[in-house]
Amino acid sequence: MEIKINMATTKQDYKDCLYIRRKVFVEEQNIHEDLEYDDKKIDAFYVIAIFNLLPIGTARYRQTKLGIKL
């Protein structure tokens, strides 16, 4: 078994990324939703990790004036 890491390219991938981010940042780390769900304000690329057909991790990156933010 292996972990597959891909760019999030489908609507389902994106939904899975948001679900994971909600669990980690909003529920576990108490980050306010307005700060976490800033996708309408920024242009970011999402990466998703899949294990046994289940999404298990995500990351996003974006370009800023200072370089790439991950």
Side-chain angles (χ1 to χ4, degrees):
M1 293 185 221
E2 66 183 73
I3 296 173
K4 295 182 181 182
I5 299 173
N6 301 307
M7 294 299 297
T9 57
T10 68
K11 286 183 182 182
Q12 187 60 51
D13 287 345
Y14 181 68
K15 286 180 181 181
D16 290 341
C17 290
L18 292 183
Y19 175 81
I20 292 168
R21 292 181 65 86
R22 169 179 268 295
K23 287 291 187 188
V24 172
F25 295 109
V26 176
E27 294 178 19
E28 294 176 14
Q29 296 183 14
N30 295 315
I31 303 296
H32 195 277
E33 287 185 9
D34 291 343
L35 293 174
E36 180 53 33
Y37 296 113
D38 58 359
D39 287 357
K40 293 180 180 171
K41 298 177 189 170
I42 65 167
D43 187 23
F45 298 92
Y46 284 80
V47 178
I48 189 161
I50 307 288
F51 181 72
N52 285 344
L53 302 176
L54 296 172
I56 60 166
T58 187
R60 73 176 182 176
Y61 66 92
R62 64 186 174 97
Q63 183 69 44
T64 71
K65 292 178 184 177
L66 300 175
I68 298 291
K69 181 176 181 182
L70 178 63

PDB file of all heavy atoms in Angstrom, residues 32-60:
ATOM      1  N   HIS A  32     -10.611  30.594  13.300  1.00  0.00           N
ATOM      2  CA  HIS A  32     -11.924  31.076  12.878  1.00  0.00           C
ATOM      3  C   HIS A  32     -12.147  30.754  11.403  1.00  0.00           C
ATOM      4  O   HIS A  32     -11.239  30.866  10.581  1.00  0.00           O
ATOM      5  CB  HIS A  32     -12.035  32.585  13.110  1.00  0.00           C
ATOM      6  CG  HIS A  32     -13.447  33.067  13.032  1.00  0.00           C
ATOM      7  ND1 HIS A  32     -14.062  33.361  11.841  1.00  0.00           N
ATOM      8  CD2 HIS A  32     -14.361  33.284  14.004  1.00  0.00           C
ATOM      9  CE1 HIS A  32     -15.302  33.751  12.079  1.00  0.00           C
ATOM     10  NE2 HIS A  32     -15.508  33.714  13.384  1.00  0.00           N
ATOM     11  N   GLU A  33     -13.360  30.358  11.060  1.00  0.00           N
ATOM     12  CA  GLU A  33     -13.694  29.967   9.684  1.00  0.00           C
ATOM     13  C   GLU A  33     -13.396  31.062   8.676  1.00  0.00           C
ATOM     14  O   GLU A  33     -12.989  30.781   7.545  1.00  0.00           O
ATOM     15  CB  GLU A  33     -15.163  29.569   9.588  1.00  0.00           C
ATOM     16  CG  GLU A  33     -15.459  28.248  10.218  1.00  0.00           C
ATOM     17  CD  GLU A  33     -16.903  27.815  10.018  1.00  0.00           C
ATOM     18  OE1 GLU A  33     -17.631  28.463   9.254  1.00  0.00           O
ATOM     19  OE2 GLU A  33     -17.285  26.821  10.636  1.00  0.00           O
ATOM     20  N   ASP A  34     -13.600  32.325   9.040  1.00  0.00           N
ATOM     21  CA  ASP A  34     -13.324  33.422   8.111  1.00  0.00           C
ATOM     22  C   ASP A  34     -11.862  33.458   7.698  1.00  0.00           C
ATOM     23  O   ASP A  34     -11.541  33.816   6.564  1.00  0.00           O
ATOM     24  CB  ASP A  34     -13.702  34.769   8.722  1.00  0.00           C
ATOM     25  CG  ASP A  34     -15.204  34.934   8.869  1.00  0.00           C
ATOM     26  OD1 ASP A  34     -15.957  34.168   8.219  1.00  0.00           O
ATOM     27  OD2 ASP A  34     -15.626  35.817   9.631  1.00  0.00           O
ATOM     28  N   LEU A  35     -10.980  33.104   8.606  1.00  0.00           N
ATOM     29  CA  LEU A  35      -9.556  33.060   8.271  1.00  0.00           C
ATOM     30  C   LEU A  35      -9.219  31.823   7.454  1.00  0.00           C
ATOM     31  O   LEU A  35      -8.397  31.875   6.545  1.00  0.00           O
ATOM     32  CB  LEU A  35      -8.704  33.089   9.546  1.00  0.00           C
ATOM     33  CG  LEU A  35      -8.742  34.370  10.347  1.00  0.00           C
ATOM     34  CD1 LEU A  35      -7.969  34.196  11.651  1.00  0.00           C
ATOM     35  CD2 LEU A  35      -8.161  35.516   9.542  1.00  0.00           C
ATOM     36  N   GLU A  36      -9.819  30.719   7.797  1.00  0.00           N
ATOM     37  CA  GLU A  36      -9.503  29.461   7.109  1.00  0.00           C
ATOM     38  C   GLU A  36     -10.074  29.413   5.697  1.00  0.00           C
ATOM     39  O   GLU A  36      -9.425  28.947   4.780  1.00  0.00           O
ATOM     40  CB  GLU A  36     -10.002  28.272   7.927  1.00  0.00           C
ATOM     41  CG  GLU A  36      -9.730  26.930   7.296  1.00  0.00           C
ATOM     42  CD  GLU A  36      -8.271  26.723   6.915  1.00  0.00           C
ATOM     43  OE1 GLU A  36      -7.373  27.235   7.593  1.00  0.00           O
ATOM     44  OE2 GLU A  36      -8.032  26.045   5.910  1.00  0.00           O
ATOM     45  N   TYR A  37     -11.292  29.881   5.530  1.00  0.00           N
ATOM     46  CA  TYR A  37     -11.932  29.794   4.219  1.00  0.00           C
ATOM     47  C   TYR A  37     -11.794  31.109   3.478  1.00  0.00           C
ATOM     48  O   TYR A  37     -12.742  31.849   3.283  1.00  0.00           O
ATOM     49  CB  TYR A  37     -13.394  29.367   4.370  1.00  0.00           C
ATOM     50  CG  TYR A  37     -13.495  27.981   4.954  1.00  0.00           C
ATOM     51  CD1 TYR A  37     -14.016  27.770   6.214  1.00  0.00           C
ATOM     52  CD2 TYR A  37     -13.021  26.885   4.249  1.00  0.00           C
ATOM     53  CE1 TYR A  37     -14.078  26.494   6.752  1.00  0.00           C
ATOM     54  CE2 TYR A  37     -13.077  25.612   4.786  1.00  0.00           C
ATOM     55  CZ  TYR A  37     -13.605  25.422   6.028  1.00  0.00           C
ATOM     56  OH  TYR A  37     -13.657  24.171   6.567  1.00  0.00           O
ATOM     57  N   ASP A  38     -10.573  31.383   3.059  1.00  0.00           N
ATOM     58  CA  ASP A  38     -10.254  32.622   2.357  1.00  0.00           C
ATOM     59  C   ASP A  38     -10.056  32.416   0.857  1.00  0.00           C
ATOM     60  O   ASP A  38      -9.464  33.228   0.189  1.00  0.00           O
ATOM     61  CB  ASP A  38      -9.010  33.256   2.961  1.00  0.00           C
ATOM     62  CG  ASP A  38      -7.793  32.331   2.925  1.00  0.00           C
ATOM     63  OD1 ASP A  38      -7.931  31.184   2.439  1.00  0.00           O
ATOM     64  OD2 ASP A  38      -6.730  32.752   3.379  1.00  0.00           O
ATOM     65  N   ASP A  39     -10.571  31.317   0.317  1.00  0.00           N
ATOM     66  CA  ASP A  39     -10.346  30.976  -1.086  1.00  0.00           C
ATOM     67  C   ASP A  39     -10.851  32.036  -2.070  1.00  0.00           C
ATOM     68  O   ASP A  39     -10.329  32.145  -3.164  1.00  0.00           O
ATOM     69  CB  ASP A  39     -10.981  29.629  -1.432  1.00  0.00           C
ATOM     70  CG  ASP A  39     -10.212  28.473  -0.830  1.00  0.00           C
ATOM     71  OD1 ASP A  39      -9.168  28.708  -0.198  1.00  0.00           O
ATOM     72  OD2 ASP A  39     -10.657  27.333  -0.988  1.00  0.00           O
ATOM     73  N   LYS A  40     -11.865  32.796  -1.683  1.00  0.00           N
ATOM     74  CA  LYS A  40     -12.370  33.824  -2.583  1.00  0.00           C
ATOM     75  C   LYS A  40     -11.439  35.033  -2.633  1.00  0.00           C
ATOM     76  O   LYS A  40     -11.515  35.837  -3.539  1.00  0.00           O
ATOM     77  CB  LYS A  40     -13.780  34.238  -2.177  1.00  0.00           C
ATOM     78  CG  LYS A  40     -14.781  33.121  -2.386  1.00  0.00           C
ATOM     79  CD  LYS A  40     -16.172  33.515  -2.000  1.00  0.00           C
ATOM     80  CE  LYS A  40     -17.089  32.319  -2.243  1.00  0.00           C
ATOM     81  NZ  LYS A  40     -18.407  32.509  -1.720  1.00  0.00           N
ATOM     82  N   LYS A  41     -10.530  35.120  -1.650  1.00  0.00           N
ATOM     83  CA  LYS A  41      -9.606  36.246  -1.574  1.00  0.00           C
ATOM     84  C   LYS A  41      -8.234  35.919  -2.175  1.00  0.00           C
ATOM     85  O   LYS A  41      -7.493  36.819  -2.523  1.00  0.00           O
ATOM     86  CB  LYS A  41      -9.413  36.669  -0.122  1.00  0.00           C
ATOM     87  CG  LYS A  41     -10.674  37.149   0.546  1.00  0.00           C
ATOM     88  CD  LYS A  41     -10.400  37.469   1.997  1.00  0.00           C
ATOM     89  CE  LYS A  41     -11.687  37.749   2.738  1.00  0.00           C
ATOM     90  NZ  LYS A  41     -11.458  37.837   4.181  1.00  0.00           N
ATOM     91  N   ILE A  42      -7.905  34.643  -2.240  1.00  0.00           N
ATOM     92  CA  ILE A  42      -6.583  34.246  -2.720  1.00  0.00           C
ATOM     93  C   ILE A  42      -6.700  33.202  -3.822  1.00  0.00           C
ATOM     94  O   ILE A  42      -7.720  32.544  -3.958  1.00  0.00           O
ATOM     95  CB  ILE A  42      -5.697  33.682  -1.579  1.00  0.00           C
ATOM     96  CG1 ILE A  42      -6.298  32.385  -1.029  1.00  0.00           C
ATOM     97  CG2 ILE A  42      -5.497  34.696  -0.486  1.00  0.00           C
ATOM     98  CD1 ILE A  42      -5.368  31.611  -0.154  1.00  0.00           C
ATOM     99  N   ASP A  43      -5.642  33.057  -4.574  1.00  0.00           N
ATOM    100  CA  ASP A  43      -5.569  32.041  -5.623  1.00  0.00           C
ATOM    101  C   ASP A  43      -4.559  30.992  -5.171  1.00  0.00           C
ATOM    102  O   ASP A  43      -3.360  31.254  -5.156  1.00  0.00           O
ATOM    103  CB  ASP A  43      -5.142  32.688  -6.939  1.00  0.00           C
ATOM    104  CG  ASP A  43      -5.207  31.735  -8.109  1.00  0.00           C
ATOM    105  OD1 ASP A  43      -5.953  30.744  -8.026  1.00  0.00           O
ATOM    106  OD2 ASP A  43      -4.522  31.994  -9.106  1.00  0.00           O
ATOM    107  N   ALA A  44      -5.047  29.844  -4.730  1.00  0.00           N
ATOM    108  CA  ALA A  44      -4.177  28.806  -4.183  1.00  0.00           C
ATOM    109  C   ALA A  44      -4.338  27.500  -4.947  1.00  0.00           C
ATOM    110  O   ALA A  44      -5.376  27.242  -5.554  1.00  0.00           O
ATOM    111  CB  ALA A  44      -4.495  28.575  -2.705  1.00  0.00           C
ATOM    112  N   PHE A  45      -3.313  26.685  -4.892  1.00  0.00           N
ATOM    113  CA  PHE A  45      -3.312  25.350  -5.479  1.00  0.00           C
ATOM    114  C   PHE A  45      -3.328  24.346  -4.335  1.00  0.00           C
ATOM    115  O   PHE A  45      -2.597  24.501  -3.356  1.00  0.00           O
ATOM    116  CB  PHE A  45      -2.062  25.130  -6.333  1.00  0.00           C
ATOM    117  CG  PHE A  45      -1.964  26.073  -7.483  1.00  0.00           C
ATOM    118  CD1 PHE A  45      -1.285  27.275  -7.357  1.00  0.00           C
ATOM    119  CD2 PHE A  45      -2.560  25.765  -8.690  1.00  0.00           C
ATOM    120  CE1 PHE A  45      -1.198  28.152  -8.424  1.00  0.00           C
ATOM    121  CE2 PHE A  45      -2.489  26.630  -9.762  1.00  0.00           C
ATOM    122  CZ  PHE A  45      -1.803  27.836  -9.625  1.00  0.00           C
ATOM    123  N   TYR A  46      -4.153  23.325  -4.476  1.00  0.00           N
ATOM    124  CA  TYR A  46      -4.305  22.312  -3.428  1.00  0.00           C
ATOM    125  C   TYR A  46      -3.676  20.994  -3.854  1.00  0.00           C
ATOM    126  O   TYR A  46      -3.742  20.605  -5.014  1.00  0.00           O
ATOM    127  CB  TYR A  46      -5.785  22.075  -3.116  1.00  0.00           C
ATOM    128  CG  TYR A  46      -6.395  23.171  -2.296  1.00  0.00           C
ATOM    129  CD1 TYR A  46      -6.811  24.352  -2.877  1.00  0.00           C
ATOM    130  CD2 TYR A  46      -6.542  23.030  -0.923  1.00  0.00           C
ATOM    131  CE1 TYR A  46      -7.360  25.372  -2.125  1.00  0.00           C
ATOM    132  CE2 TYR A  46      -7.096  24.037  -0.155  1.00  0.00           C
ATOM    133  CZ  TYR A  46      -7.497  25.201  -0.764  1.00  0.00           C
ATOM    134  OH  TYR A  46      -8.038  26.208  -0.008  1.00  0.00           O
ATOM    135  N   VAL A  47      -3.103  20.323  -2.872  1.00  0.00           N
ATOM    136  CA  VAL A  47      -2.511  18.996  -3.041  1.00  0.00           C
ATOM    137  C   VAL A  47      -3.249  18.075  -2.074  1.00  0.00           C
ATOM    138  O   VAL A  47      -3.581  18.479  -0.958  1.00  0.00           O
ATOM    139  CB  VAL A  47      -1.009  19.026  -2.708  1.00  0.00           C
ATOM    140  CG1 VAL A  47      -0.394  17.649  -2.831  1.00  0.00           C
ATOM    141  CG2 VAL A  47      -0.293  20.034  -3.590  1.00  0.00           C
ATOM    142  N   ILE A  48      -3.517  16.854  -2.521  1.00  0.00           N
ATOM    143  CA  ILE A  48      -4.233  15.905  -1.664  1.00  0.00           C
ATOM    144  C   ILE A  48      -3.466  14.589  -1.577  1.00  0.00           C
ATOM    145  O   ILE A  48      -2.885  14.137  -2.568  1.00  0.00           O
ATOM    146  CB  ILE A  48      -5.678  15.679  -2.158  1.00  0.00           C
ATOM    147  CG1 ILE A  48      -6.485  14.877  -1.150  1.00  0.00           C
ATOM    148  CG2 ILE A  48      -5.710  15.083  -3.543  1.00  0.00           C
ATOM    149  CD1 ILE A  48      -7.972  14.995  -1.306  1.00  0.00           C
ATOM    150  N   ALA A  49      -3.455  14.006  -0.387  1.00  0.00           N
ATOM    151  CA  ALA A  49      -2.822  12.703  -0.158  1.00  0.00           C
ATOM    152  C   ALA A  49      -3.936  11.673   0.023  1.00  0.00           C
ATOM    153  O   ALA A  49      -4.875  11.889   0.787  1.00  0.00           O
ATOM    154  CB  ALA A  49      -1.943  12.751   1.082  1.00  0.00           C
ATOM    155  N   ILE A  50      -3.801  10.555  -0.696  1.00  0.00           N
ATOM    156  CA  ILE A  50      -4.806   9.485  -0.677  1.00  0.00           C
ATOM    157  C   ILE A  50      -4.143   8.178  -0.233  1.00  0.00           C
ATOM    158  O   ILE A  50      -3.082   7.811  -0.736  1.00  0.00           O
ATOM    159  CB  ILE A  50      -5.419   9.270  -2.090  1.00  0.00           C
ATOM    160  CG1 ILE A  50      -5.956  10.574  -2.672  1.00  0.00           C
ATOM    161  CG2 ILE A  50      -6.469   8.173  -2.070  1.00  0.00           C
ATOM    162  CD1 ILE A  50      -7.204  11.094  -2.050  1.00  0.00           C
ATOM    163  N   PHE A  51      -4.804   7.471   0.694  1.00  0.00           N
ATOM    164  CA  PHE A  51      -4.338   6.160   1.147  1.00  0.00           C
ATOM    165  C   PHE A  51      -5.541   5.232   1.175  1.00  0.00           C
ATOM    166  O   PHE A  51      -6.552   5.540   1.812  1.00  0.00           O
ATOM    167  CB  PHE A  51      -3.719   6.269   2.543  1.00  0.00           C
ATOM    168  CG  PHE A  51      -3.199   4.971   3.069  1.00  0.00           C
ATOM    169  CD1 PHE A  51      -2.054   4.394   2.544  1.00  0.00           C
ATOM    170  CD2 PHE A  51      -3.853   4.312   4.090  1.00  0.00           C
ATOM    171  CE1 PHE A  51      -1.569   3.194   3.025  1.00  0.00           C
ATOM    172  CE2 PHE A  51      -3.385   3.118   4.596  1.00  0.00           C
ATOM    173  CZ  PHE A  51      -2.239   2.559   4.054  1.00  0.00           C
ATOM    174  N   ASN A  52      -5.436   4.119   0.503  1.00  0.00           N
ATOM    175  CA  ASN A  52      -6.556   3.160   0.416  1.00  0.00           C
ATOM    176  C   ASN A  52      -7.848   3.843  -0.046  1.00  0.00           C
ATOM    177  O   ASN A  52      -8.918   3.627   0.525  1.00  0.00           O
ATOM    178  CB  ASN A  52      -6.795   2.458   1.751  1.00  0.00           C
ATOM    179  CG  ASN A  52      -5.767   1.404   2.048  1.00  0.00           C
ATOM    180  OD1 ASN A  52      -5.040   0.964   1.174  1.00  0.00           O
ATOM    181  ND2 ASN A  52      -5.691   1.004   3.294  1.00  0.00           N
ATOM    182  N   LEU A  53      -7.738   4.695  -1.025  1.00  0.00           N
ATOM    183  CA  LEU A  53      -8.860   5.434  -1.625  1.00  0.00           C
ATOM    184  C   LEU A  53      -9.476   6.483  -0.693  1.00  0.00           C
ATOM    185  O   LEU A  53     -10.506   7.070  -1.022  1.00  0.00           O
ATOM    186  CB  LEU A  53      -9.948   4.483  -2.131  1.00  0.00           C
ATOM    187  CG  LEU A  53      -9.502   3.447  -3.168  1.00  0.00           C
ATOM    188  CD1 LEU A  53     -10.659   2.516  -3.492  1.00  0.00           C
ATOM    189  CD2 LEU A  53      -8.975   4.128  -4.418  1.00  0.00           C
ATOM    190  N   LEU A  54      -8.865   6.733   0.465  1.00  0.00           N
ATOM    191  CA  LEU A  54      -9.379   7.721   1.409  1.00  0.00           C
ATOM    192  C   LEU A  54      -8.460   8.938   1.474  1.00  0.00           C
ATOM    193  O   LEU A  54      -7.231   8.781   1.555  1.00  0.00           O
ATOM    194  CB  LEU A  54      -9.496   7.119   2.808  1.00  0.00           C
ATOM    195  CG  LEU A  54     -10.480   5.967   2.965  1.00  0.00           C
ATOM    196  CD1 LEU A  54     -10.348   5.357   4.351  1.00  0.00           C
ATOM    197  CD2 LEU A  54     -11.896   6.450   2.730  1.00  0.00           C
ATOM    198  N   PRO A  55      -9.017  10.140   1.463  1.00  0.00           N
ATOM    199  CA  PRO A  55      -8.181  11.332   1.617  1.00  0.00           C
ATOM    200  C   PRO A  55      -7.662  11.421   3.052  1.00  0.00           C
ATOM    201  O   PRO A  55      -8.436  11.312   4.001  1.00  0.00           O
ATOM    202  CB  PRO A  55      -9.142  12.487   1.298  1.00  0.00           C
ATOM    203  CG  PRO A  55     -10.498  11.937   1.518  1.00  0.00           C
ATOM    204  CD  PRO A  55     -10.424  10.463   1.276  1.00  0.00           C
ATOM    205  N   ILE A  56      -6.343  11.559   3.193  1.00  0.00           N
ATOM    206  CA  ILE A  56      -5.755  11.572   4.532  1.00  0.00           C
ATOM    207  C   ILE A  56      -4.963  12.836   4.838  1.00  0.00           C
ATOM    208  O   ILE A  56      -4.573  13.053   5.983  1.00  0.00           O
ATOM    209  CB  ILE A  56      -4.848  10.341   4.748  1.00  0.00           C
ATOM    210  CG1 ILE A  56      -3.716  10.330   3.737  1.00  0.00           C
ATOM    211  CG2 ILE A  56      -5.662   9.063   4.706  1.00  0.00           C
ATOM    212  CD1 ILE A  56      -2.605   9.362   4.070  1.00  0.00           C
ATOM    213  N   GLY A  57      -4.705  13.655   3.842  1.00  0.00           N
ATOM    214  CA  GLY A  57      -3.925  14.858   4.094  1.00  0.00           C
ATOM    215  C   GLY A  57      -4.053  15.839   2.949  1.00  0.00           C
ATOM    216  O   GLY A  57      -4.459  15.482   1.843  1.00  0.00           O
ATOM    217  N   THR A  58      -3.715  17.078   3.234  1.00  0.00           N
ATOM    218  CA  THR A  58      -3.784  18.108   2.209  1.00  0.00           C
ATOM    219  C   THR A  58      -2.795  19.220   2.525  1.00  0.00           C
ATOM    220  O   THR A  58      -2.351  19.373   3.661  1.00  0.00           O
ATOM    221  CB  THR A  58      -5.212  18.681   2.076  1.00  0.00           C
ATOM    222  OG1 THR A  58      -5.256  19.568   0.957  1.00  0.00           O
ATOM    223  CG2 THR A  58      -5.641  19.422   3.326  1.00  0.00           C
ATOM    224  N   ALA A  59      -2.456  19.952   1.499  1.00  0.00           N
ATOM    225  CA  ALA A  59      -1.629  21.160   1.624  1.00  0.00           C
ATOM    226  C   ALA A  59      -2.087  22.105   0.529  1.00  0.00           C
ATOM    227  O   ALA A  59      -2.735  21.689  -0.441  1.00  0.00           O
ATOM    228  CB  ALA A  59      -0.152  20.823   1.464  1.00  0.00           C
ATOM    229  N   ARG A  60      -1.767  23.364   0.701  1.00  0.00           N
ATOM    230  CA  ARG A  60      -2.038  24.313  -0.365  1.00  0.00           C
ATOM    231  C   ARG A  60      -0.857  25.261  -0.466  1.00  0.00           C
ATOM    232  O   ARG A  60      -0.129  25.476   0.505  1.00  0.00           O
ATOM    233  CB  ARG A  60      -3.346  25.072  -0.144  1.00  0.00           C
ATOM    234  CG  ARG A  60      -3.326  26.094   0.929  1.00  0.00           C
ATOM    235  CD  ARG A  60      -4.647  26.843   0.986  1.00  0.00           C
ATOM    236  NE  ARG A  60      -4.571  27.868   2.019  1.00  0.00           N
ATOM    237  CZ  ARG A  60      -5.518  28.743   2.276  1.00  0.00           C
ATOM    238  NH1 ARG A  60      -6.641  28.713   1.579  1.00  0.00           N
ATOM    239  NH2 ARG A  60      -5.375  29.635   3.209  1.00  0.00           N
TER     240      ARG A  60
END
